[in-house]
Amino acid sequence: MTPRAQTPNTARELEHPAAREIRLEEVLHALADPVRLRIVRALAASGEEMTCSLFDLPVSKSTTTHHFRVLRESGLVSQNYRGTAKMNALRRDDLERLFPGLLDSVLASAARQEERLSSAPPRPVRTSSASG
Amino acid sequence: MTPRAQTPNTARELEHPAAREIRLEEVLHALADPVRLRIVRALAASGEEMTCSLFDLPVSKSTTTHHFRVLRESGLVSQNYRGTAKMNALRRDDLERLFPGLLDSVLASAARQEERLSSAPPRPVRTSSASG
DNA sequence: GACGTACTACGACGCTTATCGTATAAGCCC
DNA sequence: GGGCTTATACGATAAGCGTCGTAGTACGTC
């Protein structure tokens, strides 16, 4: 077969769902995994493209690839090759148009939870009648 | 054992996670299932408690029970018995305190997607050279 | 006490998924 | 070209999950 005639350097193009094909359930499912949520948060924090290898994840290389694929197929991130590296970016515009405010509230919730869980003193119950 | 001494009508109490135990990942996972998202939307729309049997779901009774359990254990809904019926309610206050705006943006996104998918004309491609 | 209603528990089944290791392909640099 | 880096593909595995049916429990009513 060898159908890849010349295809200079843009040869490796990855399939992305069109904006209208993105489904809320899949986006939520993609975000529900701790590793993937971490990836999305890192991408949002950097605001720019990042290569896969920049992420410090507690899983193997293969698993990382798998998670990036899930993120891409759900429509959360876009990926394109740049030399040997693969650049990843959040599809903020598409997501904002489809689900206004969703990504931001998830990101804010994640940040809030991290703060709450890390700095949470073993505060017993605080019985100071001030009521909650 | 028979530890249920007298316990008049509040005998059957269900375990709910405390607010501080609610995890974003579990909430997102709970919302990622179409059936459960539908339940949550119905609860939000009604604004009040609803019995399990009020929901018109495309799954069996057992499966419905399963989904309600997932919702309760994730912290999304609270359940308490009232006679033979089990009343379900969204834990809006707890969720809003933990993840401000999250639930609303998910609900809005779901509504938006439903509208988009139902009223979507099979608009071909619109090749009007306007470039995309 | 007997019956009906509402929901649960349990076991089963099949599909999906998160994980890994190894082998492989594409591109860069010398 | 040779070797290094980066990421993929593939197969395997174990766990999780959505689904169901059946049997059972709790409650209200007669």
Side-chain angles (χ1 to χ4, degrees):
Chain A
M1 292 303 244
T2 65
R4 54 205 169 82
Q6 279 75 8
T7 53
N9 63 4
T10 10
R12 295 190 286 171
E13 295 233 335
L14 295 159
E15 280 194 24
H16 294 75
R20 71 182 55 182
E21 291 168 349
I22 296 177
R23 291 289 175 276
L24 176 61
E25 293 87 341
E26 286 189 42
V27 169
L28 293 176
H29 172 249
L31 290 170
D33 183 275
V35 175
R36 290 193 293 260
L37 182 57
R38 193 160 154 177
I39 293 173
V40 169
R41 294 185 65 198
L43 280 174
S46 93
E48 285 300 329
E49 292 182 322
M50 296 176 68
T51 65
C52 293
S53 53
L54 278 185
F55 297 86
D56 185 28
L57 300 174
V59 294
S60 77
K61 218 81 178 284
S62 328
T63 305
T64 300
T65 297
H66 160 70
H67 284 306
F68 271 104
R69 177 205 287 257
V70 173
L71 287 171
R72 186 186 75 237
E73 292 182 344
S74 76
L76 268 167
V77 315
S78 64
Q79 305 184 292
N80 59 352
Y81 285 100
R82 186 161 186 163
T84 74
K86 189 160 73 171
M87 307 307 291
N88 302 275
L90 269 183
R91 295 179 64 177
R92 292 206 82 126
D93 291 352
D94 286 331
L95 292 167
E96 192 61 23
R97 217 169 301 138
L98 289 167
F99 313 123
L102 180 66
L103 185 58
D104 282 335
S105 67
V106 171
L107 291 170
S109 297
R112 204 180 176 90
Q113 170 170 292
E114 186 181 53
E115 195 178 341
R116 176 166 59 92
L117 293 185
S118 67
S119 70
R123 173 186 302 190
V125 166
R126 198 216 280 197
T127 46
S128 64
S129 74
S131 93
Chain B
M1 290 304 240
T2 66
R4 55 207 168 81
Q6 279 76 9
T7 51
N9 61 6
T10 10
R12 293 191 287 171
E13 295 232 338
L14 294 158
E15 281 192 24
H16 293 75
R20 71 181 56 182
E21 291 168 348
I22 296 178
R23 290 290 175 276
L24 176 62
E25 294 87 343
E26 287 189 41
V27 169
L28 293 176
H29 171 250
L31 290 170
D33 182 275
V35 175
R36 290 193 292 260
L37 182 57
R38 193 160 154 176
I39 293 173
V40 169
R41 294 183 65 196
L43 280 174
S46 93
E48 285 300 329
E49 291 184 324
M50 296 177 67
T51 65
C52 293
S53 53
L54 277 186
F55 296 85
D56 185 29
L57 300 174
V59 294
S60 76
K61 218 84 178 281
S62 328
T63 305
T64 300
T65 298
H66 162 71
H67 284 308
F68 272 104
R69 178 207 286 259
V70 173
L71 287 171
R72 172 170 46 88
E73 293 182 343
S74 76
L76 269 167
V77 314
S78 63
Q79 304 184 294
N80 58 352
Y81 285 101
R82 188 163 184 161
T84 73
K86 188 160 76 171
M87 308 306 292
N88 301 274
L90 268 183
R91 295 180 64 176
R92 290 205 84 125
D93 291 352
D94 286 331
L95 292 167
E96 192 61 24
R97 216 168 302 138
L98 289 168
F99 313 124
L102 179 66
L103 184 57
D104 282 335
S105 68
V106 171
L107 291 171
S109 296
R112 204 180 175 91
Q113 171 170 290
E114 186 181 54
E115 194 178 342
R116 175 167 59 92
L117 293 185
S118 66
S119 70
R123 174 187 302 190
V125 166
R126 196 213 284 196
T127 47
S128 64
S129 74
S131 94

